[in-house]
Amino acid sequence: MALIVPSILSADVARLGEQVAATQAAGADRIQVDVMDGRFVPNITFGPLVVEAVRRHCTLPIEAHLMIVEPERYVADFAKAGADTIIVHQEVSLHLNRTIQVIKGLGKQAGVAINPATPLADLQEVLGDVDLVLCMTVNPGFGGQEFITSMLNKIERLRAMIQQHNARCDLEVDGGIHAETATQATRAGANVLVAGSGVYDAPDGIAAAIARLKAAVV
Ligand code: DX5
């Protein structure tokens, strides 16, 4: 059964504690904090302080998705703030193997993310080292975007690559995930789904939205 990971980008940040507690009560498997610096992506969002705040309001594993340049400079801060998994982007990690080792040395799970146009070949040397690969299904920076359907083939090829390398990492997708795309993405081989607007913008609320996503995965 695929894991459901709401991301707080679309949550009501004025009531973040309540929203996070409700997310856990609704059966989410993890929670993701979308960290953006206005340079790697055209938006600015959260820092380690928000990870600390989320940590105070739930016991779920927290993923810090660092959509920032020079992520290696901030890994220790997010680890200290309480993130359980730290995800860096391959596109801005000149020394990706070293950054992964640093994250693991801090006792955290290591994830690597790639944008829609980034080839899978850029992951193959680290598949055996990471706990999670994140295949972005939108161009990162904003919630509520449309799922890029051409990513379904990329997800299939990534799942095949993970199997060929006998890797044990999760295959996570992020962007435009709602019931229909959740079914498509899990059929293609994703086993962890990040959803922001699909959870927090749902007219019938967080619990119904998470139940819908859980029912939609194969
Ligand atoms: C990058 C952000 C979003 C967010 C999910 O843009 O990281 O992908 O998590 O946003 P939705 O689910 O609203 O597309």
Side-chain angles (χ1 to χ4, degrees):
M1 175 68 82
L3 302 182
I4 304 300
V5 183
S7 67
I8 64 167
L9 184 64
S10 294
D12 177 353
V13 288
R15 298 188 300 123
L16 188 56
E18 292 167 42
Q19 297 255 285
V20 164
T23 301
Q24 178 160 7
D29 296 291
R30 302 175 190 164
I31 199 154
Q32 187 179 102
V33 177
D34 319 76
V35 180
M36 300 181 189
D37 63 358
R39 290 181 61 204
F40 180 64
V41 293
N43 196 358
I44 298 175
T45 57
F46 315 119
L49 276 178
V50 173
V51 170
E52 285 178 13
V54 169
R55 184 75 290 157
R56 288 198 297 272
H57 290 275
C58 77
T59 55
L60 290 173
I62 297 173
E63 297 183 348
H65 178 189
L66 305 188
M67 290 165 274
I68 65 175
V69 299
E70 301 177 302
E72 66 280 1
R73 290 179 56 199
Y74 300 96
V75 159
D77 292 337
F78 281 98
K80 186 174 173 213
D84 300 282
T85 299
I86 298 173
I87 304 169
V88 300
H89 268 261
Q90 182 278 334
E91 298 89 351
V92 283
S93 298
L94 282 179
H95 301 289
L96 181 55
N97 178 287
R98 180 188 295 148
T99 303
I100 292 165
Q101 298 317 321
V102 167
I103 294 169
K104 297 174 83 165
L106 290 164
K108 304 301 179 181
Q109 301 263 296
V112 58
I114 51 171
N115 288 335
T118 303
L120 292 178
D122 290 349
L123 288 177
Q124 68 183 21
E125 304 307 330
V126 297
L127 276 183
D129 301 321
V130 294
D131 302 287
L132 175 149
V133 288
L134 169 51
C135 182
M136 292 302 294
T137 45
V138 295
N139 292 294
F142 301 94
Q145 300 179 84
E146 284 297 309
F147 183 93
I148 301 172
T149 50
S150 62
M151 292 296 104
L152 289 172
N153 175 270
K154 187 176 183 181
I155 296 164
E156 286 173 358
R157 287 182 285 117
L158 177 51
R159 174 52 67 191
M161 194 168 153
I162 290 170
Q163 285 164 341
Q164 282 156 8
H165 286 74
N166 292 316
R168 300 172 57 81
C169 53
D170 283 331
L171 196 174
E172 181 172 271
V173 295
D174 177 355
I177 296 294
H178 45 68
E180 185 185 348
T181 52
T183 303
Q184 293 169 345
T186 47
R187 276 211 186 103
N191 70 303
V192 184
L193 305 177
V194 176
S197 54
V199 172
Y200 296 106
D201 291 351
D204 48 356
I206 293 170
I210 290 176
R212 205 163 26 247
L213 287 169
K214 284 181 178 281
V217 298
V218 296

